[in-house]
Amino acid sequence: MHQDVAKVLLDEPTIQAKVRELAARLSEDYQGKCPVLICILKGAFIFTADLMRHLTIPTRVDFMAISSYGNRTRSSGVVQILKDLDRSIEGEHVVVVEDIIDSGLTLTYLQENLWSRRPASLRSCVLLDKPSRREVPFTPDYLGFQVPDEFVVGYGLDYAGLYRQLPYIGVLKPEVYQKHS
Ligand code: PRP
């Protein structure tokens, strides 16, 4: 285990089994279709890559990057697009892939923004949910795990850009983020 991690919340086999389960559900639900996975950078890139490798249906991937909540008021709900999709999603079956839903502001914004582009359908696939942090109601269509309100890192999730490469999801030691705040 990494020295900055206090405990492992979800180990690698547990995550991988869930990813396979979600991919199996998507493959069944989108049988005969070719959905576009929209990976929300950066946190979702590892989950998206693993999920995609287990799909048994044809699929495309595209990427969006949106501003983080770092220096602005969370409750504003204003999300800035830093990198937009490369292709139109008009008439496409779209699945937004996220690593985590917290306040729900990002996915609420994305849902409204993406629906305005006239996809044939739009669903969300989210690995982690912190329901206790929700500020606006949002229920992912496909969900991996509910997690408590702790500082989680790994499997794409970062602190200050670090720890994304950990194969498990762990709770960061408080002294790691307290010394920077
Ligand atoms: C995380 C996560 C979601 C968002 C969820 O991204 O990937 O996009 O926060 O939070 P919300 O439900 O409160 O809107 P983050 O801003 O950490 O950026 P990153 O993915 O590039 O690490």
Side-chain angles (χ1 to χ4, degrees):
M1 194 169 73
H2 193 288
Q3 60 181 9
D4 294 346
V5 172
K7 66 174 174 191
V8 174
L9 209 55
L10 299 163
D11 66 14
E12 187 174 3
T14 304
I15 295 170
Q16 292 301 329
K18 183 63 77 176
V19 172
R20 282 195 298 275
E21 181 191 316
L22 290 169
R25 282 179 55 201
L26 285 164
S27 298
E28 190 176 324
D29 293 354
Y30 288 88
Q31 193 85 52
K33 301 188 175 85
C34 178
V36 184
L37 304 185
I38 298 184
C39 170
I40 309 302
L41 297 170
K42 304 185 175 75
F45 80 105
I46 290 178
F47 177 39
T48 306
D50 281 351
L51 189 68
M52 220 179 153
R53 275 180 284 203
H54 291 295
L55 292 177
T56 56
I57 49 169
T59 186
R60 292 192 174 90
V61 68
D62 206 341
F63 300 87
M64 271 180 100
I66 50 186
S67 61
S68 112
Y69 290 121
N71 294 319
R72 65 202 168 75
T73 318
R74 298 184 68 90
S75 57
S76 71
V78 178
V79 173
Q80 195 190 351
I81 296 178
L82 304 176
K83 184 230 170 288
D84 208 340
L85 300 174
D86 289 342
R87 283 174 57 137
S88 164
I89 53 166
E90 186 168 353
E92 302 282 354
H93 294 284
V94 171
V95 180
V96 177
V97 183
E98 265 286 29
D99 54 339
I100 190 163
I101 178 169
D102 193 328
S103 69
L105 293 169
T106 303
L107 274 164
T108 299
Y109 167 82
L110 280 171
Q111 181 161 275
E112 192 186 321
N113 181 290
L114 295 172
W115 268 125
S116 75
R117 306 181 194 204
R118 301 170 177 275
S121 68
L122 177 61
R123 287 183 183 160
S124 56
C125 179
V126 181
L127 185 65
L128 304 180
D129 185 4
K130 274 187 185 173
S132 62
R133 303 263 303 180
R134 203 72 95 251
E135 293 175 27
V136 288
F138 193 100
T139 305
D141 298 291
Y142 301 88
L143 176 66
F145 307 95
Q146 287 198 347
V147 290
D149 186 14
E150 296 190 274
F151 205 129
V152 286
V153 294
Y155 200 70
L157 292 129
D158 76 309
Y159 168 65
L162 300 172
Y163 312 107
R164 294 194 200 273
Q165 83 270 34
L166 300 177
Y168 53 84
I169 290 166
V171 178
L172 199 60
K173 287 181 179 170
E175 56 261 38
V176 177
Y177 52 87
Q178 275 162 5
K179 69 183 171 199
H180 294 290
S181 60

